[in-house]
Amino acid sequence: MSLHLASRRLALSARSASITSAPSTLVPSTPCSQRRSKWSVNIFKGWGKSGSKDASASKSQDPTSAELDDPKKRAAFLERNMHGSVSDNIFQDEIDAARPPPTAEESVSQHPEQKTRENMAMVTDPDPRSRIRWQRRKVIQMVRSNGNISKEERIKMTERQLLHKSHFMPTSVKKLVMLSRQIAGKNVDDAITQMTWSKKKMAAEIKYYLEEARDLAIAQRGMGLGKVNGETLGKARKIQTKDGKWIEVTDPTRMYIAQSWVGRGPWRGKEIDYKGRGRMGVIQHPSTSFTILLKEEKTRIREYEEREAKKTAKGPWVHLPNRRVTGQRPYYSW
């Protein structure tokens, strides 16, 4: 069984081994190791260079060691020679201890500035003159119209909608337009269900963008919160859509897909199409975007009421009304 002891404790220098005569009087010498401390000048100049003079003499002669004695000069020395942050060095504790305590003005300046209208003017109002001109023009328009608003403006004030466009997907318009037609006019939840069980490859992408549009409509526009806000109808209302289908509406804030369309994007790449008789063609890989317009059931209710009011105001159709015939021609029009 061998005895393993630390070699540093049993190591003897060559000088001590030659002087001692009896092996019984062996005295372990101090291990010879390199001394590295924060006061060592070799850290900054001449890595690994050992001089013949002792540390006290080199310290008194080298002006760099005098700089290292003072914490304030040491910080400047590190910034000048180390080219790094002072907060990442071994002298940071002594540098912080040597610094005077911060005054009241410095402590206030260290805290982030409060966001007020004055210091945020460059962000919120970068061009005041243009804003004033725009406000003046709007006031003139309101005075000219005598305070009346158009039908489009009234609809925008009372009805909410969200337009959401997807990124370009690696598919063609011909393939994606089938899914776009499949979900047009349906409720958002029904459209998501359709895309969940669809066998088309891009159905998963369409489902993702439908869910994203639904979440954005709820978070940004406040759509679809009729049950939460108590805006549901006491009795279900039956209306007819543009395509002739009859539906029952209990929540006027329920979202549906008013429009859905696709758009051609840039070509993703090219490929050689080898043909017979030494001929070849080029296959271009397309990309397509998908866009939907979400609206609430309030819009479909209003559109149904407008169509019914137009039919009522039209009156019965008369084949030959009793009116004067003008502009008769002496010849046949055919």
Side-chain angles (χ1 to χ4, degrees), residues 16 121 169 196 232 245 291:
S16 61
M169 292 178 282
T196 302
T232 57
K245 296 181 180 179
T291 311

Side-chain angles (χ1 to χ4, degrees), residues 241-259:
T241 59
K242 289 182 179 180
D243 53 359
K245 296 181 180 179
W246 289 90
I247 59 174
E248 291 184 355
V249 179
T250 56
D251 186 6
T253 62
R254 185 180 61 179
M255 292 178 288
Y256 74 98
I257 302 174
Q259 298 179 29

Side-chain angles (χ1 to χ4, degrees), residues 104-152:
E105 297 179 356
E106 293 180 355
S107 60
V108 171
S109 62
Q110 291 178 358
H111 293 286
E113 187 178 4
Q114 298 293 332
K115 295 182 179 180
T116 59
R117 183 175 296 181
E118 289 75 12
N119 56 24
M120 293 293 292
M122 290 298 297
V123 179
T124 58
D125 193 9
D127 194 355
R129 294 185 178 181
S130 299
R131 177 182 56 82
I132 293 173
R133 287 196 300 267
W134 180 82
Q135 291 177 350
R136 181 174 178 273
R137 185 167 62 252
K138 289 300 178 181
V139 170
I140 292 174
Q141 292 177 1
M142 185 179 62
V143 171
R144 286 178 179 176
S145 62
N146 198 14
N148 298 327
I149 59 176
S150 62
K151 180 181 177 181
E152 291 76 10

Side-chain angles (χ1 to χ4, degrees), residues 165 168 171-173 176 261-266 287-291:
K165 182 180 179 181
F168 290 109
T171 183
S172 63
V173 174
L176 197 62
W261 65 90
V262 298
R264 188 183 301 276
S287 63
T288 312
S289 64
F290 172 73
T291 311

Side-chain angles (χ1 to χ4, degrees), residues 208-260:
Y208 169 78
Y209 285 111
L210 286 175
E211 293 175 348
E212 187 179 25
R214 178 196 60 189
D215 298 342
L216 289 175
I218 295 173
Q220 295 180 358
R221 307 296 172 86
M223 301 168 61
L225 299 177
K227 295 182 180 179
V228 178
N229 299 331
E231 299 177 2
T232 57
L233 301 176
K235 184 179 179 181
R237 186 166 183 180
K238 194 173 183 180
I239 62 174
Q240 188 180 18
T241 59
K242 289 182 179 180
D243 53 359
K245 296 181 180 179
W246 289 90
I247 59 174
E248 291 184 355
V249 179
T250 56
D251 186 6
T253 62
R254 185 180 61 179
M255 292 178 288
Y256 74 98
I257 302 174
Q259 298 179 29
S260 65

Side-chain angles (χ1 to χ4, degrees), residues 25-219:
T25 60
L26 292 178
V27 179
S29 63
T30 306
C32 181
S33 59
Q34 184 182 5
R35 181 183 180 187
R36 290 185 181 181
S37 62
K38 59 185 178 181
W39 308 109
S40 177
V41 184
N42 292 332
I43 297 178
F44 306 104
K45 294 179 64 177
W47 289 85
K49 294 181 181 179
S50 59
S52 60
K53 299 180 181 180
D54 55 350
S56 61
S58 62
K59 182 178 176 182
S60 60
Q61 294 176 4
D62 198 346
T64 308
S65 59
E67 285 189 5
L68 294 177
D69 290 334
D70 191 359
K72 295 182 180 180
K73 295 182 179 180
R74 189 183 309 146
F77 175 81
L78 287 173
E79 292 180 357
R80 185 173 64 254
N81 294 280
M82 300 297 289
H83 303 286
S85 177
V86 184
S87 60
D88 299 334
N89 58 69
I90 59 178
F91 309 114
Q92 186 61 35
D93 298 337
E94 298 183 9
I95 294 172
D96 295 339
R99 287 177 180 173
T103 59
E105 297 179 356
E106 293 180 355
S107 60
V108 171
S109 62
Q110 291 178 358
H111 293 286
E113 187 178 4
Q114 298 293 332
K115 295 182 179 180
T116 59
R117 183 175 296 181
E118 289 75 12
N119 56 24
M120 293 293 292
M122 290 298 297
V123 179
T124 58
D125 193 9
D127 194 355
R129 294 185 178 181
S130 299
R131 177 182 56 82
I132 293 173
R133 287 196 300 267
W134 180 82
Q135 291 177 350
R136 181 174 178 273
R137 185 167 62 252
K138 289 300 178 181
V139 170
I140 292 174
Q141 292 177 1
M142 185 179 62
V143 171
R144 286 178 179 176
S145 62
N146 198 14
N148 298 327
I149 59 176
S150 62
K151 180 181 177 181
E152 291 76 10
E153 293 176 350
R154 185 175 67 254
I155 291 174
K156 289 181 180 179
M157 293 171 60
T158 55
E159 299 175 6
R160 292 166 289 195
Q161 63 182 16
L162 177 74
L163 182 68
H164 187 60
K165 182 180 179 181
S166 68
H167 298 287
F168 290 109
M169 292 178 282
T171 183
S172 63
V173 174
K174 185 177 180 180
K175 296 176 182 178
L176 197 62
V177 75
M178 300 299 177
L179 298 175
S180 176
R181 292 176 180 176
Q182 183 179 353
I183 64 175
K186 288 185 172 60
N187 302 329
V188 176
D189 298 334
D190 296 344
I192 293 175
T193 305
Q194 290 287 333
M195 295 297 102
T196 302
W197 302 104
S198 178
K199 296 182 179 180
K200 297 291 184 180
K201 182 180 179 181
M202 287 293 117
E205 298 290 335
I206 299 298
K207 176 188 174 184
Y208 169 78
Y209 285 111
L210 286 175
E211 293 175 348
E212 187 179 25
R214 178 196 60 189
D215 298 342
L216 289 175
I218 295 173

Side-chain angles (χ1 to χ4, degrees), residues 252-302:
T253 62
R254 185 180 61 179
M255 292 178 288
Y256 74 98
I257 302 174
Q259 298 179 29
S260 65
W261 65 90
V262 298
R264 188 183 301 276
W267 299 107
R268 294 181 292 114
K270 297 181 181 180
E271 185 180 353
I272 297 177
D273 183 17
Y274 297 98
K275 303 179 182 299
R277 298 184 180 183
R279 300 178 183 179
M280 63 180 62
V282 177
I283 300 176
Q284 293 181 326
H285 300 286
S287 63
T288 312
S289 64
F290 172 73
T291 311
I292 56 174
L293 179 64
L294 297 183
K295 292 185 179 181
E296 294 180 335
E297 294 290 351
K298 295 179 182 179
T299 304
R300 281 209 279 209
I301 294 174
R302 177 185 57 80

Side-chain angles (χ1 to χ4, degrees), residues 9-28:
R9 295 186 180 182
L10 297 179
L12 295 175
S13 61
R15 183 177 179 182
S16 61
S18 61
I19 294 175
T20 56
S21 59
S24 59
T25 60
L26 292 178
V27 179

